[in-house]
Amino acid sequence: MSAATRPFDLPADLVEDFEDAHPLDILRWAGEKFGDRLVVTASFGDATLVHLVSQAIPSAEIVMLDTGYLFAETKWYAEELRQRFNLKLRVVEPPADAQPNQWQTDTDGCCAARKVAPLAEVLEGRTAWVTGLRRADSASRADAPIVHFDPFRNVTKINPMATWSDDDVAHYAAMELLPEHPLTQRGYASIGCWPCTRPVEAGEDARAGRWSGSGKTECGLHSSPGSTLGGVAEPGP
Ligand code: SF4
């Protein structure tokens, strides 16, 4: 582990304060602490995270991992939001050697090649990673911390919206007049790649439409063995 990313203790009172903090305040803290060593990844399933980032850390780079299988509507929507909120958007293409149509036989391998590996490259040289992960997303995310050191990726991971409910997100979107993803009205509550996403029925979990019927619930971006709560990576030079 390099000195630039050595974890140090995050004060307990700060961790506690973040539980009641607005995501904008958490993002402002992150922006001041990590500066241009921070990067944001967004799925562009909705506009909430990128709007928050545009208000709190307008200079932050926002990465969209283009797996090659994103809905055309998602790419259109990301460009709309880039223009509307003046986002510093970077679209990362899948590796040239990614196997075509691997999702048909090996979704874990496909996600590893088209999401997890590109993320590792995005995080090279960074000390902080901001995501839109929320505890309300699914049972497997119910204990997601707001800030923690991810030793697997060697960065401080910041989930500023971790405590927000679906109603909180809807309220923020209504107050800020945020545009919806074009597929939301067609029942897509959580939007990933087109081969692995279906609309959900009333009463289903938002993520029930992802890898439906396969038992798979996560792509691997948020899986990290040995995550350490309460530590952050030093900003570095
Ligand atoms: S969600 Fe599906 S298409 Fe997208 S990277 Fe994973 S397996 Fe491949």
Side-chain angles (χ1 to χ4, degrees):
M1 184 178 296
S2 73
T5 54
R6 180 170 52 83
F8 65 92
D9 290 336
L10 184 66
D13 56 347
L14 189 58
V15 173
E16 208 168 296
D17 286 350
F18 279 168
E19 286 294 320
D20 297 317
H22 194 282
L24 285 170
D25 292 328
I26 298 167
L27 285 168
R28 288 189 191 105
W29 168 83
E32 285 173 15
K33 186 157 195 67
F34 299 104
D36 62 6
R37 304 294 291 272
L38 172 151
V39 67
V40 181
T41 57
S43 63
F44 288 90
D46 67 56
T48 316
L49 176 66
V50 298
H51 184 265
L52 287 163
V53 170
S54 74
Q55 302 303 297
I57 333 174
S59 63
E61 183 174 65
I62 300 176
V63 168
M64 180 169 81
L65 298 172
D66 182 356
T67 60
Y69 297 117
L70 296 181
F71 288 95
E73 288 90 339
T74 300
K75 295 172 133 181
W76 173 86
Y77 184 57
E79 176 57 20
E80 282 289 302
L81 296 180
R82 184 191 70 76
Q83 293 182 27
R84 187 180 295 208
F85 303 129
N86 198 27
L87 305 179
K88 194 173 165 192
L89 174 65
R90 176 159 69 107
V91 179
V92 173
E93 306 288 337
D97 61 354
Q99 292 179 39
N101 301 319
Q102 191 177 8
W103 58 269
Q104 294 177 327
T105 54
D106 177 12
T107 52
D108 285 344
C110 185
C111 284
R114 292 171 182 269
K115 292 188 175 187
V116 178
L119 173 68
E121 288 193 20
V122 165
L123 295 181
E124 276 289 317
R126 306 286 189 156
T127 52
W129 171 34
V130 172
T131 89
L133 185 145
R134 292 187 296 122
R135 293 170 186 165
D137 286 335
S138 63
S140 63
R141 297 182 176 185
D143 296 323
I146 298 170
V147 181
H148 68 119
F149 182 71
D150 181 341
F152 184 62
R153 296 193 170 85
N154 206 23
V155 292
T156 295
K157 186 174 178 184
I158 302 153
N159 304 312
M161 296 167 55
T163 62
W164 269 15
S165 65
D166 293 348
D167 285 348
D168 291 329
V169 172
H171 178 71
Y172 183 82
M175 294 298 290
E176 298 295 340
L177 302 176
L178 301 183
E180 275 189 339
H181 189 292
L183 295 177
T184 302
Q185 288 298 321
R186 288 163 52 186
Y188 289 83
S190 173
I191 302 169
C193 298
W194 64 261
C196 304
T197 309
R198 65 157 173 82
V200 295
E201 304 292 334
E204 277 191 311
D205 284 348
R207 288 181 63 82
R210 306 286 295 275
W211 306 284
S212 180
S214 71
K216 180 177 169 74
T217 58
E218 295 282 349
C219 62
L221 289 180
H222 298 296
S223 308
S224 175
S227 286
T228 305
L229 304 188
V232 296
E234 289 183 347

